[in-house]
Amino acid sequence: MTNKKNVKRRKKVEKNSSSIWRFVMILLGTIVIVLMYDMLFGISFSTTNYQTPLKIELEIPKLMDVTKSDDKKIELKTVRSMAAISKDMKKIRKNYETISCEKEEFYYQENQDVSISYKIKRGLIFNYLTINYQKGKPVCRTNEEETTSNCRFTRTYVVDLVKPMNTEEKIYVTLSEYQNETETIELPSIWKDALLVGHTYEFTFEQLGTKTARDEKISSIFSSYVVVGIEETTLQGMGQKQEAICK
């Protein structure tokens, strides 16, 4: 009698083990199929918003970690496949106007007046996404313009006043140059949070095309070149950067 019970119990255990093993195999098979599908075609998720240091809301794919962020680009990494990232970015850029230049494609969103371009890179474990962004609508440059537009220079100023304008897109900023003039200029409002009154900053300018300033007055420099970077400095007096303007 006892032997019969043991046999039944053993058969029951074997049956349960077989069911569990079948379930595990089915689960593993399902995971492999899902992963293969994701690698080949990409599984898209809903997107999320990310606020850049310039207070711009960018739409980015979900399940990605931001590894670096500055006033020009954000870099992200994920274990998701390149196909999935590509599918999400195609979904995001549907809300943007496509601007095709000779060497790069840009996407412009009118509501925020912001343009983006992006690159997807494969890694050993993680895959990477870099999104470059800028305020305004991009202008495609010719080879000649690209040659001349690389000219940059840095000037150092003390911020004496930051004041809002009637329009939200720009601000008034009063600047002083060491042993020189003080003038009030207009700046895009994206720089508002980067400037503190009484602090000293290095302003980096870039020349677009062949336009040059007629003189070295503060107002002439700011109206002729584009500010591409502002960094606080502790350098004083003659040690401050006052590089020659682009000609």
Side-chain angles (χ1 to χ4, degrees):
M1 192 75 172
T2 305
N3 289 336
K4 288 184 177 180
K5 285 184 178 181
N6 289 336
V7 171
K8 286 182 179 180
R9 190 180 298 113
R10 190 162 51 248
K11 287 183 178 179
K12 186 177 181 181
V13 170
E14 290 174 353
K15 185 177 180 181
N16 290 338
S17 298
S18 177
S19 298
I20 293 172
W21 179 247
R22 257 198 316 270
F23 173 77
V24 170
M25 292 301 294
I26 292 172
L27 181 61
L28 289 175
T30 303
I31 292 173
V32 170
I33 291 171
V34 169
L35 290 175
M36 290 296 295
Y37 182 88
D38 182 52
M39 289 179 63
L40 294 173
F41 306 105
I43 299 175
S44 182
F45 290 94
S46 59
T47 58
T48 185
N49 289 331
Y50 176 80
Q51 190 175 65
T52 70
L54 297 184
K55 308 302 180 184
I56 297 173
E57 289 275 340
L58 287 183
E59 192 177 0
I60 63 173
K62 272 192 173 181
L63 303 179
M64 301 197 77
D65 295 323
V66 177
T67 58
K68 183 180 178 182
S69 178
D70 55 36
D71 58 4
K72 289 183 179 180
K73 66 182 178 182
I74 56 175
E75 297 178 0
L76 309 100
K77 72 175 183 179
T78 183
V79 293
R80 298 179 63 198
S81 68
M82 292 185 67
I85 302 170
S86 178
K87 184 173 283 189
D88 278 356
M89 289 305 298
K90 285 179 181 179
K91 183 168 60 177
I92 288 171
R93 76 187 197 208
K94 283 182 180 179
N95 301 321
Y96 289 69
E97 175 189 349
T98 301
I99 300 173
S100 297
C101 296
E102 185 178 349
K103 294 184 178 180
E104 194 170 5
E105 200 164 65
F106 297 91
Y107 307 96
Y108 173 68
Q109 188 188 63
E110 188 175 3
N111 292 340
Q112 289 199 87
D113 189 31
V114 64
S115 302
I116 67 168
S117 63
Y118 66 91
K119 290 181 180 179
I120 303 170
K121 181 181 176 183
R122 186 189 302 277
L124 184 62
I125 298 176
F126 297 100
N127 292 318
Y128 300 88
L129 169 66
T130 300
I131 302 176
N132 298 284
Y133 68 94
Q134 64 182 48
K135 288 293 287 184
K137 196 170 187 177
V139 177
C140 295
R141 298 174 183 171
T142 63
N143 291 334
E144 181 180 352
E145 287 175 330
E146 288 176 353
T147 302
T148 58
S149 67
N150 290 330
C151 178
R152 291 189 176 192
F153 63 94
T154 300
R155 288 291 178 103
T156 305
Y157 304 104
V158 177
V159 176
D160 297 319
L161 177 70
V162 178
K163 182 181 178 182
M165 295 178 61
N166 293 333
T167 172
E168 294 182 355
E169 297 177 355
K170 291 189 176 182
I171 53 175
Y172 287 118
V173 182
T174 302
L175 301 173
S176 296
E177 192 173 10
Y178 176 68
Q179 290 186 342
N180 212 324
E181 60 189 350
T182 296
E183 282 194 71
T184 299
I185 51 93
E186 296 179 5
L187 270 181
S189 58
I190 59 172
W191 299 111
K192 180 177 65 176
D193 295 332
L195 300 173
L196 295 175
V197 174
H199 290 233
T200 305
Y201 296 89
E202 293 177 349
F203 289 73
T204 300
F205 300 87
E206 181 175 340
Q207 181 185 33
L208 297 182
T210 57
K211 186 176 181 180
T212 59
R214 61 179 180 274
D215 53 49
E216 297 199 12
K217 289 184 176 180
I218 295 175
S219 57
S220 182
I221 290 174
F222 275 85
S223 63
S224 303
Y225 307 103
V226 177
V227 177
V228 294
I230 299 176
E231 290 188 10
E232 188 170 0
T233 179
T234 57
L235 296 176
Q236 298 294 321
M238 300 298 292
Q240 294 177 350
K241 288 185 180 179
Q242 301 294 355
E243 297 174 349
I245 65 174
C246 298
K247 295 294 187 180

